[in-house]
Amino acid sequence: MGEIEGTYRSLQTPAGTRLGAQYNTGISTLEPGQSLSSAMGAGGKGHSRGLQIRVQGLDDAQEFYDLESKADGQTLHNEVFRRINLIESDYFGLEFQNLQMNWVWLEPTKLIVKQVRRPMNTLFRLSVKFFPPDPGQLQEEFTRYLFSLQIKRDLIEGRLNCTENTAALLASHLVQSEIGDFDDIADREFLKINKLLPHQERVQEKIMEIHRRHIGQTPAETDFQVLEIARKLEMYGVRFHPAADREGTKINLAVAHMGLAPKINTFNWSKIRKLSFKRKRFLIKLHPEVHGPHQDTLEFLMGSRDQCKIFWKNCVEHHSFFRLLDQPQPKTKAVFFSRGSSFRYSGRTQKQLVDYVRDSGLRRTPYQSPQPSPFNTQGPLCLSPSFQMSTLSLPGQAPSPLQSPILNEVGTARLEEDEEGRRKRYPTDKAYFIAKEILTTERTYLKDLEVITVWFRSAVIKENAMPEGLMTLLFSNIDPIYEFHRGFLKEIDQRLALWEGRSNAHVKGDYQRIGDVMLHNMCALKEFTGYLQKHDEVLTELEKSTKRVKKLETVYKEFELQKVCYLPLNTFLLKPIQRLMHYKLILERLCKHYAPQHRDYDDCKEALKEVAEIAAQLQSSLIRLENFQKLTELQRDLIGIENLTAPEREFIREGCLYKLTKKGLQQRMFFLFSDMLLYTSKGVTATNQFKVHGQLPLHGMIVEESENEWSVPHCFTIYSAQRTIVVAASSKVEMNKWIEDLNMAIDMSKKCQEKSDLLLDPSLCDRSNRSSDEVSLEQESEDDMNSSRCSLEKQSHHRANTTMHVCWHRNTSVSMSDHSLAVENQLSGYLLRKFKNSNGWQKLWVVFTNFCLFFYKTHQDDFPLASLPLLGYTVSTPGESDSIHKEYVFKLQFKSHVYFFRAESEYTFERWMEVIKSAASSAGRMSLLVPKGPAEMNGGS
């Protein structure tokens, strides 16, 4: 039996993309199978003089590099990257061809002379090695420029197969990048001298016709367009390796971001256990559940051992770069003998690269691009180095309204002068700021979708935790929506750039409008109605699977603890339908602002009609989904209640009330549903979950005010069939809301009495024979509290960014109608925050959603740095005593916590005031409970 020459175990980690196919005229004379010692000996005399290496760049210019004779591949890579000042260098590599015409990447860890016999006679080419599926992942404009040159090279050499129309479109953008706006004579002269396509003459007129449409497009925009078009092509970044299957059928193998892609099939990394090669045979070992235990290894025959090993190395590097979080450690060498290849990927992974560029501040001056809007650039920010994502205060501590890390003022510059200059340069029309709200909220919406399409997908693939059917159902519905909105965001961004004058001069046409862009995309959204209608099924199946599949449940819970999942996970699945409501509201504001004769009015009106039609179709589905989402969230956060998501049950209100016991008024969390009322106490462990202590059916329940009877302010009595309890709210307003909702729910329960009886958990109902008019003043037993602790300790972690915890700390409540209103009032954008005891201002990207402000350094960040729950806050304009003499400043205050924020315009100032008022409580809700009379007692839980 032959020895396995190379193996690689596939670790179950995140996803990436494809490998590029290039052509080169340079030839290495290192013979296949030639010993490395003989190769060294053959060139030994020349090595003492050092090496002069010739490298061809992506722009086809050639450079010479003088290296030591024993330089390794990494040394040459470093020299090339340093000379062109390439920051995102790990996407690229140097390649050459051997005598068999196999493409070979220069390995960084080996000596150059051990890989190439005559390196000074070989032409190395700088090429893209790893193609990310989304060009937006490339953070540098210069990197995108180099990628566009790679696409250009592949087009010229016929490697990027596509239709003539697509080829002409790509070529037109390349012409725009080279010579700028269309000119008939210049275009013809350029296309005569420069060949962009193999059969360019056939489509030259079409290239010029399309080029006419790119007026005003900058080189940076052109690069992005080229990559956007190319990435959707089947051959984008693909390098085929010819092989044959066991039956001798010829087949092409390729390595792609999701795994291995034979032309007939695709094997996701999550399905692959191990990759190996044995002489000319390439072996793929699959997990048993993929093809069954009797067919778990696929075998392909390649042209030679060298070809087999080259492809195996490509697979190892792609898996490591796109799927691993950290650089793999080198394999320990055996002392006496070793078996198999020791090859490992030696560079940074994509995640490490992205983090490095983002965190190190190595962003260069934009490469031949327009200056970005000053209000969209990064403002200076000093953040606490130890980040702790949004956790509310522990019991016994004062609530900390702005969560760790503290946004501190040390070392941060003042921004007033920059902002004043910006206001003078940019449009002041209200329509512009309404259009900009579409842009800013779309950015946040796309980031929210990425929580599912990128982050959660990576988590479940890494652990192979999600059943295949659910994977298909979930991502086949959400991926097309995500792709559509990526293109939509790009269109809006380009239009705002033209509106602001950020594009090239000599722009022709009327671009100070948004209605045409909205109309086109709202019409296109109709095609996605079918996907949106399936979200009900997706949410239901996801919930069922988390209960059925233990591994998925674990991954789900652990993912919700990650920084990027700043809301309950299933909340993000509701975003696509909720976004339709946002479009409708924004278009209504535009139509209200415009006069009927305005040039943009008709398009906005028609776009509003289109989106209102889709929203109306999905309105009932949204109501049902929001209720289901809330019930599943509570099911995870409450201990001692099962089947909370039972059919027909509706969530109505959650909040803090004080229950009268023998030890006095005890803080409890109450949850009102259409068929029952739950009351709970908070756990004392790190999980902070709530333990259910009572469940009262609504059928036959009576609610009465009883403030005079008990001498407790804002007090009311709840009479149920099993027991009677006395509770007090934090204010008159709160009491009225609870009584109103309870009476409404009692009326609802009369209509579904039989269902309510079936859904109640009898173990939680009071089984005593106490008369309904005998008030329950019992002390909850030590057994209850101990069982609560035991149950809590079984839970590993718990999220603290849900509304129930905010209600608990702020002594308030939230209804389902409040939740629906908060959904309508989501907002994003840059704000300036005033430093305490200073005149300095700090720019932050701020997102308002779910009754909370989330703060980011920039809109490109993946997770918030801090959060500020708004329940209980008041919002107003600064008073004289605040000594703030700036426009568009609003003041947030809760007790002694005060924050000042400054908006960029009158419109955005009014919008922030509006949405914050929708979440912040009224003055009545803020008054704290002050017990009086005989009931003024302190006691334990």
Side-chain angles (χ1 to χ4, degrees), residues 730-757:
S730 60
S731 70
K732 185 74 172 178
V733 172
E734 277 291 293
M735 181 187 73
N736 291 337
K737 288 182 177 181
W738 274 106
I739 292 176
E740 179 183 349
D741 281 353
L742 276 164
N743 285 327
M744 177 196 70
I746 291 168
D747 290 339
M748 289 173 58
S749 71
K750 292 177 182 177
K751 301 174 184 178
C752 52
Q753 174 186 352
E754 295 179 0
K755 293 181 180 178
S756 295
D757 292 339

Side-chain angles (χ1 to χ4, degrees), residues 338-353:
S338 63
R339 184 185 182 201
S341 172
S342 62
F343 176 79
R344 290 294 182 271
Y345 174 66
S346 60
R348 287 175 294 204
T349 66
Q350 186 185 34
K351 183 182 184 302
Q352 287 177 320
L353 177 59

Side-chain angles (χ1 to χ4, degrees), residues 20 71 101 278 302 329 428 458 474 593 627 672 675 690 726 781 836 839 901:
M101 300 301 290
K278 182 179 179 182
M302 307 193 80
Q329 296 300 314
T428 57
S458 295
L474 172 57
H593 167 69
N627 181 68
L672 175 60
D675 60 334
F690 288 84
V726 178
S781 69
K836 190 175 182 180
N839 291 325
F901 294 95

Side-chain angles (χ1 to χ4, degrees), residues 14 46 108 122 163 266 358 441 546 565 614 661 676 869 929:
T122 300
T163 65
T266 297
R358 182 185 62 205
T441 53
T546 54
C565 191
I614 308 172
T661 70
M676 65 177 177
L929 178 66

